[in-house]
Structure formats: C-alpha cells, structure tokens
Amino acid sequence: AAPLELMSMRHQRQGTTLTVSGLVRNPSQGAAMSGITAVVFAFDRAGAFVTSGRAALDLTALGPGDESSFVVNIPNALDVARYRVTFRSSSGVVRHIDRRGNQVQLAQAVR
C-alpha cells in the first residue's frame, strides 16, 4: 500500500506541555485503513529520548484520498529540543512520507 503523506505539522508550548499537531493524507492510490495513531517522540539537545505521547487521528477510518488532522499533547515535556512523529496501527508502524512544503529539519530546536 502507498504510504501516508504528512501534509503539515507544527508545535506549540504552553507551560511544560508540548503540543504537536498536523494533517496527514491517505493518497488516492492508498488502501483504506482505520485505527491510526500519531506518536510523537521527544529528544533533548544531546539526542537522548525524553518522553513521548500519542493520540488517535481525528478520523477513525481513512479511505483513499481522505485527510485527517491529529493533535498530540505531551505533558511534562521539559528539556525537549526536537521531536519526531510516526504513525501506528494495530498491526505496527504505518509508513509515511513527509510532503510538507516548508520541510523542517528533524534537528530543529523546539522553542
């Protein structure tokens, strides 16, 4: 099946909570899927894992061509310098391609 496409992603800090949100699309040639979860892994400046969070996509089922937003809140996200997003289903990791127009490098600091 064709991989999901990450169309947009942004982050926001409120106190010690890091919120990562975005939009993912199942391409028109993709297979129907359901139960997809966005998982965000947070790292410190040295690249060490700090914490993670997860949340289901807003749509429970994605047909070919469908888009869904996601919002992952990570409380107590202290000392986070960067993060990475992945997608999972009940059967494991769901492949995705970064289709953001303004590609942000993974190592960009979270401020």
Side-chain angles (χ1 to χ4, degrees):
L4 289 176
E5 298 174 333
L6 181 63
M7 304 306 293
S8 68
M9 186 169 63
R10 61 192 163 281
H11 67 269
Q12 177 180 352
R13 280 200 176 270
Q14 189 166 15
T16 62
T17 299
L18 173 65
T19 300
V20 177
S21 58
L23 181 70
V24 67
R25 177 174 59 199
N26 187 5
S28 58
Q29 67 276 22
M33 54 182 79
S34 62
I36 305 298
T37 300
V39 182
V40 176
F41 297 98
F43 304 91
D44 66 14
R45 293 195 191 293
F49 174 78
V50 175
T51 187
S52 66
R54 63 180 57 220
L57 298 184
D58 288 347
L59 290 181
T60 57
L62 286 177
D66 287 347
E67 294 182 341
S68 180
S69 55
F70 62 90
V71 178
V72 178
N73 292 302
I74 307 172
N76 303 315
L78 303 173
D79 299 323
V80 172
R82 61 187 179 99
Y83 60 90
R84 176 175 49 124
V85 65
T86 64
F87 300 95
R88 296 188 144 273
S89 71
S90 60
S91 59
V93 174
V94 176
R95 293 183 315 130
H96 78 277
I97 295 175
D98 192 341
R99 294 274 190 224
R100 294 176 292 163
N102 59 343
Q103 298 245 340
V104 178
Q105 296 229 350
L106 195 57
Q108 179 180 354
V110 176
R111 299 180 205 267

